[in-house]
Amino acid sequence: MPLTEPHDDNLPQEESVAAVRHPGEDAPTAGAGTVPEQEPEPESEPRLSEPGPEPELVRSESGPEPGPESEPEPTLPEPVRQRIVALTAAVLPVLPGDEVPVPLRRVAKFAPNRRARLGAPMIAAQLTADPLFRQRITARVLADSGDLGAAVVAGTAPAAADPVEVAALAYLARPRGWRELIDASGAAVRAEADKAVVDELVREAEQRATRAEHDRAVARVEADKLRDELARVRDELGQLREENRQLARTLREAQARERRAAELLATERGRATRAATEADAELRRARARLAEAEAAAGVARASAKEARSVDDAKLWLLLETIGQAAVGLRRELALDPVDRLPADFVADAFADQPNATPAGAATRARDTDDPARLDQLLALPKAHLVVDGYNVTKRGFGEMSLEQQRKRLITGLGGIAAQTGDEVTVVFDGAERMHGLPPSPRGVRVLFSRKGETADELIRRLVRAEPPGRPVVVVSSDREVADGVRRHGAYPLGADSLLRRLARS
């Protein structure tokens, strides 16, 4: 490609050559992004078109290649063009100010890293249009290149030299055969580019081969998995087929049973129809008898109404007679009100009579463990609640100490006694009365079994001491206690019923 390239008008204004200002340089008076007008050359400065001594410095022994000056510039490879611009940009600050063309004087003040990048179009255009400037640049560049520059001026290129560097020096020095050197450099650059492309293609091919091998390995693994899955699916299919055969057999059997059931249903429907007919006939007969019975009942109700008036009078007279007889009996026996109950006497001393069973005890015994039964029994008049203390506490809050168990149970029983007004007795095992017990709540009696006696025996003595007819409720989950008190007419209940009652309170 030619060394010069068109200037890009679309570059940002801050990166254009005209807008770049070296530190210490006066700001341009023109608007931002515009190139100030070039100052005319001083009359004392030699013109660029006049020959000077510099061309003699770069002229080789064989002389420059003959040819018309109007011969077009060769097409340069891009690396060669960039190298020429870089060499020129590096030499610009070294040249005297009067030797630098006016368009490049501002570029010469740029920073090194921006000089070749931003001033490339102007440098390339100046090298093409100003042979004198190119000769001055060539003199500086050849002086810095040493033996390589001398070889290029002689028209030869060392085999080990960089073709880009050789082409750039040949373009600047332009010895005999410089176009051939540039063409050879371009061919070498293109060969390197082609080699790089080929190497890249080889690497891509190797990567594709590696990926293909990996994909084949993955495909083999996936194929193995699919084969295993296919085998599993075949096994499942075999099982499903077997299940299908069994279901088909079951369906056939069910259909046969359904046919038999339909036949039986038809038979039963016939029987039901006959039975319904007979029932209708019997219903008609019953209705006739009912009408006769209602007529007879009307007559009987009329007679009963008259007889009931007589019975009510007799019953009132009987109850009045019993009430007066009870008052007379209490007066005749001189029974004064008592302040002690049978359980109090048992607590002091009671002759144990294991074979004595109060009359009528069996009539009041009930066999139930229903928790709701406790509230019903405590609602009876003059009920007596007897509690097996440790049997209840160890079942409900056995994690506490014995003292805490007794205190919690006695406190809860005090609440029940206050709510119902019933007599409450709690019995604990113990050879003698425990010390440190809190005062018993009102209505709660606390007893401890004597030495040689258990709480179960004391509970049975309390039950036997009660008169027949009084409701006595014994709370204990001990089967022996429940069976023993039931024989004497008491109502045994489990410990859970009392625990739920206490929790509800």
Side-chain angles (χ1 to χ4, degrees):
M1 64 180 64
L3 182 62
T4 59
E5 60 182 12
H7 180 67
D8 189 0
D9 294 336
N10 295 325
L11 287 174
Q13 293 182 358
E14 61 271 18
E15 292 187 0
S16 64
V17 176
V20 178
R21 181 161 49 89
H22 192 273
E25 182 182 359
D26 295 333
T29 57
T34 60
V35 179
E37 297 181 358
Q38 298 181 359
E39 300 177 357
E41 291 287 342
E43 295 182 358
S44 59
E45 184 178 356
R47 299 182 61 84
L48 295 179
S49 59
E50 296 178 359
E54 287 80 359
E56 298 297 334
L57 298 176
V58 298
R59 189 172 299 159
S60 61
E61 295 178 358
S62 58
E65 183 182 0
E69 291 295 336
S70 61
E71 186 177 357
E73 293 288 316
T75 301
L76 300 176
E78 182 61 23
V80 175
R81 189 191 68 81
Q82 293 178 359
R83 182 56 182 165
I84 293 171
V85 172
L87 292 174
T88 305
V91 174
L92 274 179
V94 183
L95 293 176
D98 54 354
E99 296 182 1
V100 177
V102 175
L104 297 183
R105 290 180 181 177
R106 189 177 299 277
V107 176
K109 298 178 181 180
F110 287 177
N113 58 342
R114 302 180 61 189
R115 193 179 305 133
R117 179 168 56 87
L118 299 179
M122 300 180 67
I123 291 174
Q126 201 65 31
L127 288 175
T128 303
D130 192 348
L132 180 59
F133 171 68
R134 186 177 62 250
Q135 291 174 2
R136 291 171 177 171
I137 294 297
T138 303
R140 300 288 184 175
V141 171
L142 292 177
D144 295 336
S145 60
D147 296 338
L148 179 60
V152 171
V153 171
T156 59
D162 184 4
V164 174
E165 190 72 18
V166 171
L169 294 176
Y171 177 83
L172 292 173
R174 301 199 177 189
R176 185 180 300 277
W178 65 281
R179 292 179 181 275
E180 288 75 6
L181 291 177
I182 292 177
D183 294 340
S185 174
V189 170
R190 286 190 293 273
E192 290 181 359
D194 294 341
K195 182 177 181 301
V197 172
V198 171
D199 294 341
E200 182 64 24
L201 292 176
V202 170
R203 283 194 299 271
E204 292 179 358
E206 291 176 351
Q207 292 175 358
R208 287 195 295 271
T210 303
R211 287 196 297 270
E213 183 64 27
H214 177 266
D215 294 341
R216 283 194 295 272
V218 173
R220 285 194 294 271
V221 174
E222 293 296 332
D224 295 339
K225 291 182 180 179
L226 291 176
R227 281 193 292 270
D228 296 339
E229 185 69 16
L230 179 60
R232 185 183 64 79
V233 170
R234 286 176 177 173
D235 294 340
E236 292 182 356
L237 181 60
Q239 296 176 0
L240 291 175
R241 288 175 178 172
E242 182 63 25
E243 292 177 0
N244 188 23
R245 285 193 292 271
Q246 295 178 359
L247 290 175
R249 185 167 56 253
T250 304
L251 178 60
R252 289 192 296 272
E253 295 174 356
Q255 291 174 348
R257 289 195 297 270
E258 183 181 1
R259 287 193 297 271
R260 291 193 297 270
E263 295 173 357
L264 292 175
L265 179 61
T267 304
E268 293 300 328
R269 283 179 177 172
R271 293 179 181 177
T273 303
R274 291 193 298 270
T277 304
E278 296 174 357
D280 290 340
E282 184 65 25
L283 179 60
R284 287 191 294 270
R285 291 192 293 270
R287 284 176 178 173
R289 289 193 298 270
L290 179 60
E292 296 175 358
E294 287 179 351
V299 176
R301 280 195 298 271
S303 301
K305 186 175 182 180
E306 297 176 358
R308 182 175 180 181
S309 300
V310 177
D311 292 339
D312 290 343
K314 291 180 180 180
L315 182 58
W316 180 87
L317 181 59
L318 179 60
L319 291 177
E320 185 68 18
T321 302
I322 292 173
Q324 293 179 1
V327 172
L329 183 60
R330 185 182 296 115
R331 186 170 51 250
E332 182 180 353
L333 295 177
L335 293 177
D336 297 327
V338 297
D339 56 354
R340 302 189 68 185
L341 297 174
D344 296 328
F345 294 97
V346 173
D348 295 338
F350 186 84
D352 190 9
Q353 300 176 2
N355 296 327
T357 301
T363 60
R364 64 184 186 181
R366 299 291 176 88
D367 186 8
T368 178
D369 287 330
D370 186 4
R373 183 65 173 163
L374 178 61
D375 293 334
Q376 298 175 358
L377 294 175
L378 293 180
L380 296 175
K382 290 296 181 179
H384 184 188
L385 176 61
V386 181
V387 180
D388 187 355
Y390 287 137
N391 183 271
V392 175
T393 59
K394 291 182 179 179
R395 188 177 184 87
F397 24 88
E399 70 278 359
M400 299 181 179
S401 63
L402 293 179
E403 180 180 357
Q404 293 176 340
Q405 292 179 21
R406 291 193 298 269
K407 182 178 179 181
R408 181 169 179 177
L409 178 60
I410 293 171
T411 303
L413 293 176
I416 294 178
Q419 293 174 3
T420 62
D422 295 333
E423 180 183 359
V424 179
T425 303
V426 57
V427 180
F428 296 102
D429 283 312
E432 56 186 5
R433 184 177 178 84
M434 300 288 179
H435 296 286
L437 283 175
S440 300
R442 185 176 181 178
V444 179
R445 181 187 298 107
V446 181
L447 298 179
F448 289 86
S449 61
R450 296 177 300 182
K451 185 175 182 181
E453 183 185 31
T454 63
D456 300 347
E457 296 172 350
L458 180 55
I459 291 173
R460 284 193 288 269
R461 285 201 297 123
L462 287 170
V463 173
R464 288 196 301 268
E466 295 294 339
R470 185 183 185 186
V472 180
V473 182
V474 179
V475 177
S476 176
S477 295
D478 192 335
R479 179 61 61 183
E480 294 182 359
V481 174
D483 294 340
V485 300
R486 186 183 294 109
R487 288 194 297 269
H488 297 290
Y491 300 97
L493 293 178
D496 291 337
S497 60
L498 179 59
L499 291 171
R500 295 193 186 99
R501 178 67 171 78
L502 294 175
R504 192 170 68 246
S505 300

